[in-house]
Amino acid sequence: MSSASATSVAVPPRSDTSRTPSMMPLLAPAVGVLLIWSIVPLVMTVWFSFKNYNLMDPTVSGWAGIDNYSYLITDPDFWVSLLNTLVLVGSVLVITVVGGTLLAVLFDQNFPGQGVARLLAIAPFFVMPTVAALIWKNLMMHPIYGVLGSVARGLGMTPIDWFADYPMVSVIIIVSWEWLPFALLILLTAVQSLDREQLEAARMDGAGAFAQFFYITLPHLRRAISVVVMIETIFLLTIFAEIFVTTAGGPGNATTNLAFLIYARALLQFDVGGASAGGIVAILLANIVAFFLVRSVARNLEV
Amino acid sequence: MKDSAAKRIFITILGWLVALLLAFPIIWMVMTSFKTETDAISTPPLFVWHPTVASYAEVQERANYFSFALNSILISVGGSLLALAFSVPAAYAMAFHPTPRTRSTLLWMLSTKMLPPVGVLVPIYLLFSSLNILDTRGGLIIVYALMNLPIVVWMLFTFFKEVPREILEAGRMDGAGVWNEMRYLLMPLTLPGIASTGLLSLILCWNEAFWSLNLTSSAAAPLTTFIASFSSPEGLFFAKLSAASTIAVAPILIFGWLSQRQLVRGMTFGAVK
């Protein structure tokens, strides 16, 4: 319909428009603002990371050299936060990729109400992080009033005080719940593009369900899995809201990841220099992953 | 035959079990929102109770819920429209008039998305503070537009690439200039793609909780920040938390369900088809 109406519209000839006009006026605004957005704050972070700068204490000033960095790497909290970051990212990746792959194969099958079931399964991805974290912390994991506590009592076990005894596990559960649907959604799309005749041929040749999965489905998913891993890593490296509303990094520093450490340094201790040095570490970490992600996307890009 | 029937029943049960388990916290949240505070913390949990909408009314009374909701709407819509305003021309230029540099421009845009927000928290916070735009809707709109710009450009680019070249050629034969081509040929053809890109951007803005928590406190605070205020330990109001959360999540959940296909495309930069 739209093409019919488009062709029937009388378009007045424009003699003043060149046939190969420059595209710069169209491209420049987007490139310009992105350039500013990506370079100015980055340069400022680098700059601050070499300065003595405290928002509450004007006597702290001047160049710090590499003091912020040397202070950072001798600070045990930093290494704990780095380890926590890696534990969080690693655990969530394993849970969501393994779980997502299995669920993708499951939801690829035909069963009654499959469409509705799939909508239910992907719903958690659309829940805002602060809601997800607080619902889990209170309605699910609260040792007295939470559903999990009641289930434990029903089974004759002692309810677990999740955030006191297993704070990192609790955060991992919440974040995995948010990202499992993402992995499922991406991997399901990939599974559905699998050549059915290939599976049929394998079945004819006597391949069982496991052989089909490991020799056909899984290799087919390799690319999608790597994309899921990279995109999740970018987001998971800077998980913040879930920690902010549940544990505030604690108890102690048990759930302080790099993002929360930087936030605490900057906006709770007002140490701009130290926080910026931490920011640079976060950027470096993300760049390692980003390099592979951009390369992988580039391979598929047709211009 | 027998085997496949058993398998089918097994898969049906398993599929539904998994789906209900994953959705359970959301279902339970909605159920709790219709309870009184006493019913909400009853042990064992109540599956049958006398439903009430009292919590919804109380949320509004206590915290002026609608001002937060309005902030969420204005900031998400504003951020998405601003991102589209910058992206549509750029994606048009790259999709229909590619140059040797287009490929690297696209990849560079993608790479800017890889900059972790926490890495630039300090300068953005200080800039906002010195410009006096901390806790303003305008400030957050700018951040959200820039944050989503690469994803929006990429999604539009992939949609624009699908427009058949023949139609554009025909338009050019008839002497349509760039602007007429855009107005009469491209807009009608690409509007669905632009709409679903805007929808994805809306979802991402609505649920964003790093910048909103750090750059807003009250005046411009969207729902993500409002819900975070329930984290204080003295206020264990399960029913009110659930009611506030339910209204915060409901519209975006529906949008999300409608746009799941586009979401895959947008969030993977076209790497998964």
Side-chain angles (χ1 to χ4, degrees):
Chain A
M1 188 213 89
S2 51
S3 65
S5 67
T7 44
S8 65
V9 167
V11 183
R14 291 267 301 264
S15 51
D16 58 340
T17 310
S18 150
R19 278 279 30 119
T20 51
S22 165
M23 287 296 126
M24 276 320 279
L26 299 179
L27 198 51
V31 171
V33 293
L34 261 187
L35 209 58
I36 296 170
W37 170 246
S38 62
I39 289 182
V40 172
L42 183 62
V43 169
M44 284 174 77
T45 304
V46 174
W47 173 266
F48 289 142
S49 75
F50 293 109
K51 301 277 283 185
N52 290 316
Y53 188 175
N54 190 299
L55 287 176
M56 288 294 128
D57 186 358
T59 61
V60 178
S61 65
W63 288 99
I66 58 160
D67 284 2
N68 287 322
Y69 290 96
S70 52
Y71 178 75
L72 191 70
I73 61 167
T74 52
D75 181 359
D77 277 352
F78 168 71
W79 294 104
V80 171
S81 80
L82 206 57
L83 186 67
N84 283 341
T85 306
L86 297 180
V87 168
L88 179 59
V89 174
S91 313
V92 174
L93 278 181
V94 170
I95 293 169
T96 57
V97 168
V98 174
T101 308
L102 296 177
L103 293 190
V105 174
L106 174 63
F107 283 102
D108 184 45
Q109 316 286 319
N110 263 319
F111 60 85
Q114 170 211 38
V116 180
R118 197 160 69 196
L119 286 183
L120 287 176
I122 63 167
F125 186 66
F126 303 111
V127 174
M128 56 175 69
T130 47
V131 166
L134 285 179
I135 292 299
W136 271 95
K137 184 187 180 182
N138 295 314
L139 270 55
M140 296 291 125
M141 290 172 159
H142 194 285
I144 301 165
Y145 306 122
V147 172
L148 293 181
S150 293
V151 171
R153 276 190 296 272
L155 297 173
M157 299 187 295
T158 317
I160 300 167
D161 191 351
W162 287 93
F163 281 94
D165 297 335
Y166 305 100
M168 186 49 105
V169 173
S170 309
V171 173
I172 289 171
I173 291 175
I174 296 173
V175 177
S176 300
W177 179 74
E178 293 176 291
W179 285 92
L180 181 59
F182 172 77
L184 163 62
L185 203 52
I186 305 287
L187 295 174
L188 184 58
T189 307
V191 169
Q192 284 169 341
S193 71
L194 184 59
D195 186 1
R196 299 290 137 161
E197 284 171 14
Q198 212 183 342
L199 279 180
E200 199 52 48
R203 197 169 320 151
M204 295 291 203
D205 289 347
F210 283 98
Q212 285 174 42
F213 176 76
F214 281 106
Y215 292 108
I216 298 175
T217 308
L218 209 52
H220 174 75
L221 287 180
R222 203 171 60 189
R223 181 181 167 75
I225 287 175
S226 68
V227 171
V228 168
V229 166
M230 288 182 284
I231 289 172
E232 281 195 17
T233 307
I234 300 282
F235 282 93
L236 297 176
L237 276 175
T238 53
I239 285 287
F240 175 78
E242 291 83 348
I243 294 171
F244 179 84
V245 298
T246 55
T247 65
N253 55 14
T255 54
T256 301
N257 67 349
L258 198 50
F260 198 84
L261 182 86
I262 295 167
Y263 154 80
R265 283 285 141 83
L267 301 185
L268 300 180
Q269 297 160 21
F270 308 108
D271 177 8
V272 170
S276 298
I280 295 299
V281 175
I283 291 170
L284 288 178
L285 264 183
N287 267 310
I288 298 170
V289 186
F291 173 77
F292 291 103
L293 177 57
V294 173
R295 214 177 54 168
S296 165
V297 170
R299 220 176 293 147
N300 212 36
L301 174 64
E302 297 155 24
V303 174
Chain B
M1 207 59 199
K2 200 130 195 144
D3 178 54
S4 86
K7 188 184 157 207
R8 194 172 148 82
I9 291 169
F10 173 72
I11 284 176
T12 307
I13 292 172
L14 191 64
W16 273 95
L17 194 68
V18 167
L20 287 172
L21 272 179
L22 277 172
F24 180 75
I26 302 173
I27 298 168
W28 190 248
M29 168 185 87
V30 176
M31 286 166 71
T32 308
S33 74
F34 290 107
K35 292 177 179 173
T36 61
E37 291 296 350
T38 339
D39 282 349
I41 56 169
S42 127
T43 49
L46 294 177
F47 281 89
V48 180
W49 73 100
H50 197 74
T52 166
V53 291
S55 301
Y56 286 90
E58 275 172 64
V59 166
Q60 165 60 12
E61 271 167 35
R62 265 162 39 99
N64 196 13
Y65 179 89
F66 288 108
S67 79
F68 295 101
L70 185 66
N71 282 338
S72 268
I73 294 171
L74 290 177
I75 292 167
S76 306
V77 173
S80 300
L81 287 181
L82 190 59
L84 282 175
F86 278 98
S87 307
V88 171
Y92 164 80
M94 291 192 286
F96 294 112
H97 302 276
T99 66
R101 268 179 309 178
T102 297
R103 188 187 160 85
S104 50
T105 309
L106 272 169
L107 290 174
W108 167 75
M109 286 185 162
L110 166 65
S111 72
T112 66
K113 183 68 195 153
M114 306 299 145
L115 189 67
V118 74
V120 293
L121 167 65
V122 174
I124 296 292
Y125 185 86
L126 294 177
L127 276 176
F128 269 52
S129 161
S130 60
L131 294 171
N132 273 321
I133 51 171
L134 275 177
D135 204 15
T136 62
R137 290 180 197 137
L140 216 52
I141 286 176
I142 294 171
V143 168
Y144 283 4
L146 290 165
M147 171 184 87
N148 285 337
L149 198 57
I151 289 185
V152 172
V153 169
W154 266 81
M155 257 184 96
L156 290 173
F157 175 80
T158 56
F159 278 119
F160 288 180
K161 288 298 272 188
E162 285 167 11
V163 172
R165 289 306 158 103
E166 296 74 24
I167 293 179
L168 297 184
E169 286 302 325
R172 276 172 214 176
M173 296 294 238
D174 291 346
V178 170
W179 293 109
N180 286 315
E181 181 182 283
M182 234 180 168
R183 168 77 184 78
Y184 295 108
L185 293 177
L186 288 175
M187 274 302 175
L189 287 174
T190 55
L191 216 51
I194 294 175
S196 46
T197 306
L199 204 58
L200 175 64
S201 170
L202 213 59
I203 296 171
L204 295 176
C205 290
W206 188 275
N207 287 345
E208 202 286 332
F210 179 77
W211 292 117
S212 63
L213 285 173
N214 280 304
L215 299 179
T216 67
S217 53
S218 55
L223 289 167
T224 43
T225 310
F226 170 63
I227 301 292
S229 69
F230 279 88
S231 63
S232 57
E234 71 267 24
L236 270 183
F237 298 112
F238 281 20
K240 279 192 265 303
L241 166 67
S242 300
S245 301
T246 301
I247 335 177
V249 166
I252 238 53
L253 189 54
I254 292 162
F255 283 173
W257 280 337
L258 293 176
S259 67
Q260 40 166 320
R261 292 265 158 231
Q262 284 74 25
L263 186 123
V264 173
R265 185 205 285 245
M267 296 220 30
T268 60
F269 300 93
V272 174
K273 289 190 179 112

